[in-house]
Amino acid sequence: MRLRLPNLRRLLRWLALAALAWIVLSVLLVLCLRFVAPPTSAFMIGRHIDSWIDRERDFTLDYRWVPITQVSGNLPIALVAAEDQKFPQHHGFDVGAIQTALADAEDGSRLRGASTISQQVAKNLFLWNGRSFVRKGFEAYFTLLIEVLWPKQRIIEVYLNIAEFGDGIYGVGAASDRIFRRSAARLDPHQCALLAAVLPNPRKLHADRPSAYVQRRANWIERQVRQLGGAAYLRP
């Protein structure tokens, strides 16, 4: 049954108002999180749901916010060296890395990720895991909001606090205590490199029991940190 023209106009008006309301609310949310520590993240909620579905009775999630001023300066630069070396220069997207990944895919290689730290913050904080075009569209939207509304220091502060460093271990506050038995401020360069080294797969790779692969990757990260000039690389 066809919608009459007045009804169609009313529906379109409601859809437009709903879209506008969602945009306003999302902007306000991102702006608020520039100043307020996130109480949780979409990925943490998803992990909780997975544990309930899989009946993991012994699962516990550990998340503790630590201001960046109380975190070793070795960690932000280790994360940048490992994940996104153009972080200080780009505006949310590494166009060169994206073009390289697409070119490799055209040559028959598996399409690999080219996510920046800003994109990972957007995904981990607000979205679900997956590879659909819908999710990538939302990721791009939230990445743009984060880059416009947050300074770079806030982006890296949120990242090091919501990144998963072990199964159920989210953020440097929990990771430094549970993995290394010390505060986030006292992490040394190699410990920070180990934390950065496990990020590709923190549920299988371990910073406290590093495999040969993790050790090699951590050593590579430390070399990259030195080549970038250390923590000074991230100063405005």
Side-chain angles (χ1 to χ4, degrees), residues 2 13-14 16 27 70 97 129 138 171 210 212 232:
R2 289 185 177 181
R13 185 166 59 250
W14 277 109
V27 170
Q70 298 175 24
N129 205 357
F138 280 118

Side-chain angles (χ1 to χ4, degrees), residues 89-110:
Q89 290 85 37
H90 66 61
H91 299 290
F93 306 93
D94 187 343
V95 177
I98 293 172
Q99 292 174 339
T100 300
L102 291 174
D104 290 344
E106 289 178 358
D107 291 338
S109 301
R110 186 175 65 89

Side-chain angles (χ1 to χ4, degrees), residues 192-214:
C192 291
L194 286 170
L195 289 177
V198 305
L199 285 177
N201 197 340
R203 297 182 194 175
K204 291 186 177 181
L205 304 177
H206 306 282
D208 54 343
R209 305 186 308 277
S211 63
Y213 166 77
V214 171

